[in-house]
Amino acid sequence: MNSRPSSRIFLVLAFACAIFVGGTETQARDSADGRLIVQRVPNFGTNLVAQLSIDGRKIADIPRDQHYEGFVSAGRHVLTIQALPNTELRRPTSMNLSVQSGRTYIFTAVWESDRVVLRRSTSPSDTTRVRPVKAPTQ
C-alpha cells in the first residue's frame, strides 16, 4: 500500500516538471522574437480591410477598429500590405524589416497617394486585437 501514495507523488511531480519545462520553452521562444503590431489609420476606409502578409504568407485581415499583434522571429522579413476589396487592382506594397530579439515594431497602414503603405508609429492605437489568419512559422 505504501507504493501507491509514492507513485502518485511521483506522477504529480513529473506533471509539474513538464508544465514548468513547457513554460520556459515558450518564454525562451518569445524572447528570441520581436513583437509586431500593425494597425490602420481611422480614415483608412469603412468597407476596406488591410491585409497583412509576412514573407509571402497571409497573416491577418485587419478591419476597422482592430489591429494585428504577434511575434516574428529575429532576422530579415518582408511585410506586405494591401487594401481589400481591391476593386481598382492596386498592387500590394512591400517593405523589408530586420527584426531584433525583444524589440517591438509598430506600423500603421496609411494611404499614400493611391496606394497603401506601412509607416512606422511610436505607439499602438486603442483598438481590438484581430485574430491572425494563421500563425507565422519562421
Side-chain angles (χ1 to χ4, degrees):
M1 285 199 128
N2 281 342
S3 66
R4 287 190 89 187
S6 63
S7 62
R8 284 185 185 160
I9 291 172
F10 175 76
L11 287 174
V12 169
L13 288 174
F15 184 68
C17 287
I19 290 173
F20 176 75
V21 169
T24 55
E25 285 177 4
T26 300
Q27 289 173 354
R29 183 193 149 253
D30 291 348
S31 67
D33 295 341
R35 184 173 161 217
L36 176 65
I37 298 171
V38 177
Q39 53 201 10
R40 45 182 265 174
V41 289
N43 64 349
F44 187 84
T46 305
N47 296 322
L48 296 176
V49 298
Q51 183 179 76
L52 173 68
S53 297
I54 301 175
D55 299 330
R57 291 186 202 116
K58 180 180 167 185
I59 299 300
D61 288 333
I62 308 166
R64 185 176 182 190
D65 297 326
Q66 294 189 26
H67 69 273
Y68 167 79
E69 183 175 346
F71 289 95
V72 180
S73 63
R76 294 186 58 90
H77 298 281
V78 177
L79 305 181
T80 302
I81 194 80
Q82 69 176 343
L84 295 178
N86 189 0
T87 57
E88 297 185 24
L89 303 175
R90 294 184 177 118
R91 296 184 69 183
T93 305
S94 296
M95 66 171 289
N96 294 316
L97 177 64
S98 186
V99 175
Q100 295 178 1
S101 298
R103 296 217 31 212
T104 298
Y105 301 88
I106 304 171
F107 293 95
T108 302
V110 301
W111 285 100
E112 182 179 274
S113 203
D114 66 340
R115 64 187 186 125
V116 179
V117 296
L118 291 173
R119 293 279 177 236
R120 278 204 187 255
S121 301
T122 56
S123 62
S125 61
D126 186 27
T127 57
T128 305
R129 184 177 179 174
V130 69
R131 298 186 121 211
V133 173
K134 77 183 212 187
T137 53
Q138 325 295 283

